[in-house]
Every structure is written in structure tokens, then in C-alpha cells.
Amino acid sequence: MSNIGTDRVKRGMAEMQKGGVIMDVVNAEQAKIAEEAGAVAVMALERVPSDIRAAGGVARMADPTITEEVLGAVSIPVMAKARIGHITEARVLEAMGVDYIDESEVLTPADDIYHINKSDFTVPFVCGCRNLGEAARRIGEGASMLRTKGEPGTGNIVEAVRHMRQVQSEIRMLTAMSRDEVMTYAKEIGAPFELLLEIREEGRLPVVNFAAGGIATPSDAALMMELGADGVFVGSGIFKSANPAKFAKAIVEATTHYQDYKLIAELSKDLGEAMKGLDMGTIEAHDRMQDRSE
Amino acid sequence: MTTIGVLALQGAVREHIRCIQACDAQAIEIKRKEQLAEIDGLILPGGESTTIGRLMDSYGLFTAIQDFARQGKPIFGTCAGMIIMAKSIQGQAKAHLGLIDMTVARNAFGRQVASFEAEINVPAIANDFRAVFIRAPYVVEVGDDVEILATYEEHIVAVRQGPFIATAFHPELTDDQRLISYFMDMVAQAKQ
């Protein structure tokens, strides 16, 4: 007898992506460049986050034509984004055969209270988190993979760093707590008690946690690995750079060899201009994608 | 003490390290070719075979692992590792290490929604083994010198050729150490 869609199969898929780079792409041509550069997966989108930010308005699931084009172009896994709480967009993506769904704050949320109950699906989900409470709630809903939210489409690493450090530091605090303290902590951060006990026992999350939101250079990717990320998502960074193929390859190698600083120096030479970044202070509160859900 | 290396360019490295340690052997992550001198056996983990293949090419690991194999040192590949070890890959002009005389098909069971786990028999090694298949390959053809260790629904999912062994599934994702123990025995014999 065989079972599909088990936790082991869904979380295991994300385990296989560890140490790798997942790249945002908007067409087959970009998907092939990403695969050729050594991406472990691609995220099929209609627009990269920086263009979504620039365009404004409501951002939704990509046109299925684009997703299908990318599915047909590469042999590596293909991910796609559904709006937070948009059960139907997620079902549509599952029906098209995408390998992973990102229930993503980069798109305009469809539900400002509830996330999708991801345990109901055969396809696995990745969700964003800024802290342990958010991470635990998403795992409780059935997310099989996490990523920092960072601040997408900014080319500014500061928020991804903040979120990665926050989650790690809260896990370290948790491992030092007694059982009675964990119950109160669970209440304070709005996290499932049993799940916190499990995290406390293991000293880590039961799913992988990638870095995302603002990674713009090979050094940024290596920094996130240094801080304990299991891998990285690069959104606008690659195809907004001057030489995407070279840039993509450099990010892949810097992620694998994140403590080989001479190599990273070599990889960072002559990459051309990285995407123009945004300072956090210039982003209005209502334009902060990371605050769209909790 | 036996030392087993896990190729740590990308993929399920942590899980294999844990399994090796559970079998009371020493485990090290291999990122550079010089490290191959320190180990008695090598595991090629699951991950993305295109990514791992590319990173192997860039840093001289490719020929270094082929040299390691020529010395008769055992190598165990799981999932992507199986693809990396195959002599030929269906639909692709170029293979990677070409250590086992077999042709593999990538993502042969389908996309992620078709990924599954099932009880399979690996006769003489591990009956009723919980095998986890994730976007897994299977073997479509083997040469005369290749021993078929297991099949699932008539597809070949585990093989051995001399000191080389490969599975389409992920023994490292369960707590059942029988297959890794089998590999440890191969390593111990090769050391003598």
C-alpha cells in the first residue's frame, strides 16, 4: 500500500532543497537560465516582487499560461504563489501539478484573518514567518517549509536578517524553558503548545527554514546561510541584475560554499550592477508586505 | 573507526549524517576534493541532481570522486545520488559519474503530488522497509553486472554493482537503519 501527501513526503521534499537557491522567474526563458545556473527550484510568477511593488493594485496568482510554460520548460521543481487564504487559487495550482505552493504575503491577501488549512492538501506549502509564533502557527496549519518574510522586492537584506535572528533566538530561549514556562510562552506568542514542546526537544523547527525577502548579492545569500538558513529564495535580485546567468550561478555557489570567503570574493567580481535597493525608512507602513499577515 | 563522508554541496546532508552516527561511525561533510582522503566510504545524498552535478563539475570533485571509486571504495547514492551514479540518464545527452551500468529515468513516478511512501522488500537486506519516494527516479535498464536489490510495482528501485549501491528512495528519512548498516558492512569489508 502506498500513501501520497504524508507529512514525511511533503516535509521531505523541502529537506531535499536544503543548501540550494530557489529563483523567481516570469517565463520559460528565465526558468531555463535558473536551472542551468544550478537553482534547486524555480518560483513561477507573473511579476517579480519589485515589479509588484512598483505596479501597485491587487496582486494575484499568476496567469496559468505562465505557470504551465514554466512547468514545461524545466525538470527541477516548480513552485507558485497563491494569495494568503485563497483556497481556490491553491487548489488550481495543485491541479496544474505545481510541486510547492507559496502562500505568500507578496500577493495581496484574500483573507485578512485566516490562512489556508494546508494539511488538507496533497501538495506541500511554504509560508513566510518573522518570529517563532508565526512559524509555529503556519506549521500548525500544515506548512511543510518556512522562509523568512524579509521585505520582498527591496534588495535590502535587513528584514530577512531580523526575521532569521528572531526565530533562532526564540528557539534558543525555548530550549532553556521548563514545561510550565512553555505553556505561558505558547499563550504569549500564540503558538500551539505541543508543537513548542517538540521544537524545545529537538532544538530546531520540524521543517526547513529558508531565507527570503531582500537577498541581492552572493554575499547576502552567504550571510543568510551563516545565520542558519537552510537555503535561500532570490526574487527580484537575479533577473533585475545586469547579467542574470552569471549572477544566478554566483549566488548558487556562494550559498553552497558560504564560508569560503576567497571564493565569494571571486564570485562577486564584475557582476555588474545589483538591483537598486530600497531603504526601509522610505517604505510607507501600508506598503510593507511583511505586515500583511501574522 | 569507520569514517563516512556525505557529499555536502546541496540536499539532505543532515539526515545522512544522523544515520551514520546512529550506526556508530564517524560522519563528515564533504565539500572539497581534498577531504576524500579522510573517508572510507561516500554517500551521495538526495537533492537536485542538476544542482549537485553542476557544483561537482566546478570544483574538481567530479574526477576526484571517480578516482575514489576506482580505488574500490564504496559509494551509496540515494535518489539524486542514484541519478548522479548512473551511466546514462533517459532524455539527457550527458550523464554524471557513470559508476553503475544502468539507465535511470528522472522524476519517473511524476511530480511532487505523486510522491509517496510504501512498504517494500529489499530481499536479504530489509523486508517491509518503509521507503519514501520524493519526485523519485527509477531504473529502466541495467547491465549484466548489476544486481537488482529491490523493485516496486515492477520498477527497479535499488541496485548494487560491486562497491556501488543506489536507491531511488530515501532511507535517511526514516529511523530504519538496515540499508545504511548494509552499506557500513560493505565499507568495513572494503577496508580490510
Side-chain angles (χ1 to χ4, degrees):
Chain A
M1 218 198 73
S2 74
N3 307 95
I4 56 169
T6 62
D7 275 352
R8 190 146 55 189
V9 161
K10 294 200 282 189
R11 291 176 180 183
M13 159 75 197
E15 300 287 354
M16 298 307 143
Q17 304 265 296
K18 284 201 301 273
V21 182
I22 299 166
M23 303 181 189
D24 279 358
V25 300
V26 300
N27 56 40
E29 186 199 352
Q30 290 187 353
K32 284 184 180 144
I33 292 172
E35 182 176 47
E36 186 60 31
V40 289
V42 289
M43 176 79 70
L45 289 163
E46 201 157 309
R47 292 194 185 104
V48 295
S50 62
D51 288 341
I52 290 175
R53 192 176 283 286
V58 174
R60 311 177 180 90
M61 173 183 82
D63 182 327
T65 317
I66 294 171
T67 314
E68 272 176 8
E69 180 187 318
V70 173
L71 281 165
V74 292
S75 64
I76 54 176
V78 175
M79 301 186 169
K81 288 184 195 294
R83 279 179 270 177
I84 288 169
H86 207 310
I87 303 162
T88 303
E89 282 188 351
R91 286 293 181 195
V92 168
L93 293 172
E94 183 180 51
M96 284 197 293
V98 306
D99 296 294
Y100 236 95
I101 295 175
D102 185 358
E103 187 183 17
S104 178
E105 69 282 359
V106 168
L107 305 183
T108 312
D111 189 324
D112 59 2
I113 301 173
Y114 303 109
H115 280 69
I116 297 171
N117 180 30
K118 295 163 276 285
S119 307
D120 282 348
F121 287 69
T122 302
V123 68
F125 280 75
V126 54
C127 286
C129 64
R130 291 168 297 182
N131 51 52
L132 184 57
E134 219 171 9
R137 286 192 293 280
R138 297 296 87 79
I139 296 168
E141 293 154 1
S144 308
M145 178 183 194
L146 295 170
R147 54 171 174 75
T148 60
K149 284 181 166 175
E151 188 57 37
T154 59
N156 188 337
I157 195 75
V158 66
E159 296 299 302
V161 167
R162 186 198 315 283
H163 301 160
M164 185 55 68
R165 280 194 178 273
Q166 182 70 23
V167 171
Q168 308 256 358
S169 126
E170 285 173 325
I171 291 172
R172 279 193 291 275
M173 268 170 28
L174 176 65
T175 55
M177 284 181 193
S178 64
R179 202 181 157 92
D180 47 2
E181 288 169 335
V182 174
M183 181 55 88
T184 299
Y185 188 54
K187 183 188 71 178
E188 283 168 2
I189 66 172
F193 174 64
E194 301 293 338
L195 183 57
L196 286 189
L197 286 180
E198 188 191 326
I199 296 168
R200 168 171 161 266
E201 185 69 24
E202 295 293 321
R204 63 176 187 86
L205 296 168
V207 301
V208 301
N209 188 17
F210 272 46
I215 294 158
T217 67
S219 292
D220 285 351
L223 170 65
M224 295 315 298
M225 295 301 287
E226 180 71 42
L227 293 176
D230 288 311
V232 298
F233 283 85
V234 185
S236 320
I238 292 170
F239 292 99
K240 288 286 166 192
S241 72
N243 185 344
K246 192 174 174 192
F247 199 87
K249 197 160 175 286
I251 294 232
V252 168
E253 294 189 17
T255 303
T256 293
H257 299 283
Y258 65 92
Q259 287 178 322
D260 188 337
Y261 309 113
K262 281 185 181 158
L263 175 73
I264 295 171
E266 284 306 311
L267 294 171
S268 306
K269 284 179 184 166
D270 301 321
L271 281 181
E273 202 174 338
M275 69 180 283
K276 190 174 182 316
L278 285 175
D279 186 85
M280 286 302 132
T282 65
I283 304 173
E284 299 282 344
H286 64 266
D287 286 331
R288 279 165 63 93
M289 292 175 174
Q290 61 176 286
D291 297 334
R292 285 171 160 180
S293 66
E294 50 184 35
Chain B
M1 195 184 196
T2 306
T3 306
I4 306 286
V6 181
L7 187 67
L9 298 175
Q10 189 273 315
V13 177
R14 178 168 74 205
E15 290 78 2
H16 274 296
I17 300 271
R18 201 201 51 205
C19 291
I20 295 164
Q21 288 166 345
C23 292
D24 293 323
Q26 193 180 335
I28 56 174
E29 293 188 7
I30 305 290
K31 287 200 179 199
R32 286 173 294 108
K33 59 181 180 185
E34 299 77 35
Q35 295 174 287
L36 291 170
E38 302 165 34
I39 59 171
D40 306 306
L42 176 67
I43 290 178
L44 307 177
E48 280 309 315
S49 60
T50 48
T51 307
I52 297 173
R54 197 136 319 218
L55 288 164
M56 262 174 31
D57 279 350
S58 333
Y59 298 102
L61 267 164
F62 187 80
T63 42
I65 293 173
Q66 281 182 324
D67 287 344
F68 181 87
R70 264 194 287 275
Q71 294 164 36
K73 293 192 177 166
I75 301 179
F76 182 8
T78 63
C79 193
M82 175 185 248
I83 297 166
I84 302 270
M85 290 173 85
K87 198 170 177 182
S88 115
I89 303 167
Q90 210 170 54
Q92 279 180 221
K94 203 169 152 266
H96 302 283
L97 290 169
L99 298 175
I100 298 180
D101 186 9
M102 62 179 172
T103 302
V104 297
R106 291 179 62 207
N107 306 329
F109 292 97
R111 305 197 72 97
Q112 171 61 16
V113 285
S115 293
F116 64 99
E117 42 184 295
E119 303 283 335
I120 68 164
N121 287 330
V122 189
I125 305 172
N127 282 333
D128 301 322
F129 190 88
R130 192 78 186 159
V132 185
F133 293 85
I134 297 175
R135 286 173 50 94
Y138 59 64
V139 181
V140 288
E141 202 174 14
V142 292
D144 293 340
D145 298 332
V146 178
E147 183 189 352
I148 294 168
L149 296 178
T151 58
Y152 175 74
E153 290 183 342
E154 293 171 22
H155 301 301
I156 303 166
V157 294
V159 294
R160 176 174 176 176
Q161 183 176 10
F164 311 129
I165 171 173
T167 62
F169 51 90
H170 294 282
E172 75 279 12
L173 291 184
T174 66
D175 293 324
D176 188 336
Q177 312 296 351
R178 285 178 292 173
L179 275 169
I180 184 86
S181 297
Y182 176 81
F183 178 66
M184 296 292 179
D185 291 343
M186 285 169 58
V187 175
Q189 278 164 21
K191 254 180 105 172
Q192 281 168 8

